[in-house]
């Protein structure tokens, strides 16, 4: 297949591009590099079958030739990033999704939306099943991301129902692994970089809030299976093992074994108190479940950040 992948220079996009190339597909990566990495891009550009277009997908994109799939991953994804780029986040989730659906319709291509567990907001149902409609504050600081993704899902279903477009919606839960930007600002990169630098780990709130962390190769495998499936309704793709943020910090301190301590800071507004995917649908429809637990995933992730810290190229990016 010839696949247009937006957000290809980002963390998930670069891993997904690598998997698509490995499966023998041609990948046209599209990115405006707002939160992407030149290093990811340089690494991909050395591979056969990969080409790159620097473009903001919130404006229309025209691609020559046949396209079989459009995978829409472009969007700031770290809370620190989308607080810094609120309008761009709203635009890429809304206008960007509309443009990429239009491209898929024009090319009669299959479309996959990278949606998020954030559509559930601060959830009142736990664990989260796909039939839960969520608890999102539309006017809070996280609303720029959450509501854009909710709009993106609605637009995707409208293209499916009204235009008969072949669509998929992946609700992705917290994913981590090598090739995250050290200054991404999300919890795994912050804590690992802080631990490697011997700095205090910045725990927001009392650290009792929970997340469920999926190692990136597991995540990409679930996403690829969803793309190949015929499931149109949203599917949760994440690791269902839940940890408190304090437990995550303690595991990272154990593995890095440095002098760091925990530093408690205020909890950001609307920070979800719990998050855990119910993956019954992914298990049944895709035959998928994660294989790599947090201990092993961190063992594979820490050496990547260690290399950057030792080269003087890594600083964490906690909220002030
Ligand atoms: P990332 O910030 O590493 O990558 C996002 C990429 O999109 C970057 O390369 C950025 O430059 C690009 N981009 C942003 N706006 C763009 C625009 N207007 N035009 C072109 N390119 C643009 O983030 P990520 O973690 O790789 O996330 C990728 C996708 O997966 C996002 O859509 C995100 O919402 C979704 N997601 C990720 C996670 C996760 O845990 N990583 C969880 C849920 C959902
Ligand atoms: N968090 C933290 N310290 C950090 C970064 C994040 O305690 O330096 C917390 C954050 O408040 C949230 C959880 O870790 O409860 C996950 O945050 P992240 O930004 O990774 O993603 P989210 O799941 O909130 O989108």
């Amino acid at each position: 297949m010839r696949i247009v992948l937006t957000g290809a220079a980002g963390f998930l996009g670069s891993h997904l591009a690598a998997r698509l190339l490995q499966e023998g597909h041609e990948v046209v990566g599209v990115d405006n590099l707002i939160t992407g990495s030149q290093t990811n891009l340089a690494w991909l550009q050395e591979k056969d079958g990969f080409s790159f277009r620097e473009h903001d997908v919130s404006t229309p994109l025209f691609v020559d030739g046949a396209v079989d799939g459009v995978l829409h991953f472009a969007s700031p994804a770290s809370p620190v990033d989308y607080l810094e780029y609120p309008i761009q986040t709203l635009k890429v989730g809304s206008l960007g999704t509309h443009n990429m659906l239009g491209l898929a319709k024009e090319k009669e291509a299959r479309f996959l939306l990278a949606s998020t567990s954030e559509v559930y907001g601060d959830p009142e149902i736990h664990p989260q099943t796909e039939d839960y409609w969520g608890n999102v504050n539309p006017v809070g600081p996280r609303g720029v991301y959450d509501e854009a993704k909710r709009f993106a899902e609605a637009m995707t279903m409208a293209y499916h129902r009204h235009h008969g477009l072949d669509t998929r919606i992946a609700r992705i839960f917290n994913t981590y692994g090598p090739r995250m930007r050290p200054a991404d600002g999300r919890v795994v990169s912050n804590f690992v970089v802080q631990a490697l630098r011997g700095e205090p780990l910045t725990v927001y709130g009392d650290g009792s809030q929970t997340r469920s962390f999926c190692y990136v190769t597991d995540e990409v495998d679930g996403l690829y299976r969803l793309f190949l499936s015929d499931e149109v309704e949203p599917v949760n793709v994440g690791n269902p093992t839940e940890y408190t943020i304090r437990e995550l910090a303690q595991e990272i301190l154990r593995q890095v074994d440095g002098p760091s301590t925990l530093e408690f800071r205020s909890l950001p507004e609307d920070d979800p108190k719990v998050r855990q995917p119910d993956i019954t649908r992914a298990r049944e429809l895709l035959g998928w479940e994660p294989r790599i637990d947090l201990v092993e995933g961190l063992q594979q992730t820490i050496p990547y950040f260690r290399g950057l810290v030792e080269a003087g190229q890594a600083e964490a990016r906690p909220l002030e």
Side-chain angles (χ1 to χ4, degrees):
M1 286 190 260
R2 183 162 184 254
I3 292 172
V4 171
L5 172 63
T6 76
F11 163 56
L12 273 182
S14 71
H15 282 276
L16 187 56
R19 173 69 188 266
L20 293 169
L21 293 169
Q22 188 192 325
E23 298 287 341
H25 305 296
E26 190 185 329
V27 177
V28 181
V30 183
D31 205 297
N32 67 351
L33 299 170
I34 187 171
T35 60
S37 132
Q38 288 285 1
T39 317
N40 287 345
L41 194 57
W43 176 82
L44 281 170
Q45 280 179 314
E46 286 175 8
K47 300 195 181 295
D48 284 345
F50 183 84
S51 60
F52 181 66
R53 291 268 300 271
E54 186 167 343
H55 182 83
D56 178 348
V57 298
S58 298
T59 64
L61 172 72
F62 300 94
V63 177
D64 289 335
V67 173
D68 307 295
V70 177
L71 279 64
H72 183 38
F73 279 70
S75 172
S78 156
V80 185
D81 284 334
Y82 58 73
L83 295 178
E84 187 175 346
Y85 302 114
I87 315 282
Q88 291 94 327
T89 302
L90 278 159
K91 285 175 76 174
V92 74
S94 54
L95 304 175
T97 302
H98 185 213
N99 289 330
M100 293 309 97
L101 283 162
L103 175 67
K105 175 169 166 273
E106 166 69 23
K107 301 290 185 181
E108 299 180 5
R110 181 174 296 177
F111 177 86
L112 183 143
L113 174 69
S115 186
T116 168
S117 54
E118 280 287 310
V119 300
Y120 302 123
D122 189 6
E124 293 156 318
I125 300 284
H126 193 66
Q128 292 76 56
T129 44
E130 290 89 345
D131 57 3
Y132 176 48
W133 293 350
N135 177 35
V136 169
N137 174 4
V139 294
R142 297 176 82 103
V144 298
Y145 181 70
D146 302 9
E147 295 294 6
K149 291 288 186 179
R150 289 167 67 94
F151 175 93
E153 289 198 7
M155 185 63 104
T156 301
M157 290 308 291
Y159 264 67
H160 173 70
R161 294 195 183 103
H162 191 68
H163 291 308
L165 192 72
D166 190 18
T167 56
R168 310 284 179 270
I169 297 175
R171 291 191 179 147
I172 301 169
F173 284 64
N174 298 63
T175 303
Y176 68 99
R179 297 213 285 279
M180 290 185 91
R181 277 178 306 142
D184 174 281
R186 278 175 281 188
V187 68
V188 173
S189 52
N190 271 358
F191 284 2
V192 171
V193 170
Q194 289 162 340
L196 288 166
R197 288 168 59 99
E199 297 166 350
L201 274 56
T202 50
V203 176
Y204 305 159
D206 63 4
S208 63
Q209 71 272 31
T210 69
R211 296 294 186 270
S212 306
F213 298 98
C214 192
Y215 188 66
V216 65
T217 52
D218 278 338
E219 183 67 40
V220 163
D221 188 49
L223 295 170
Y224 186 60
R225 285 174 188 240
L226 176 60
F227 180 64
L228 294 186
S229 79
D230 55 11
E231 184 54 40
V232 168
E233 298 292 323
V235 180
N236 290 338
V237 184
N239 188 316
T241 309
E242 185 183 18
Y243 290 85
T244 66
I245 293 305
R246 194 194 275 256
E247 286 169 338
L248 171 72
Q250 277 154 355
E251 178 56 26
I252 290 171
L253 287 181
R254 190 186 70 77
Q255 290 198 20
V256 172
D257 196 22
S260 296
T261 53
L262 302 187
E263 177 186 311
F264 293 91
R265 297 198 179 181
S266 56
L267 191 66
E269 195 178 339
D270 295 333
D271 197 287
K273 286 181 268 313
V274 290
R275 187 183 286 156
Q276 180 187 30
D278 180 317
I279 61 163
T280 307
R281 278 170 55 75
R283 281 196 177 104
E284 288 175 357
L285 297 167
L286 313 178
W288 174 85
E289 62 182 357
R291 297 176 182 283
I292 298 179
D293 66 18
L294 184 66
V295 171
E296 187 185 346
L298 287 173
Q299 284 164 353
Q300 297 191 29
T301 304
I302 289 169
Y304 157 79
F305 284 113
R306 192 186 298 280
L308 294 175
V309 168
E310 285 173 0
Q313 292 170 355
E315 275 181 46
R317 187 160 152 242
L319 288 166
E320 291 309 314

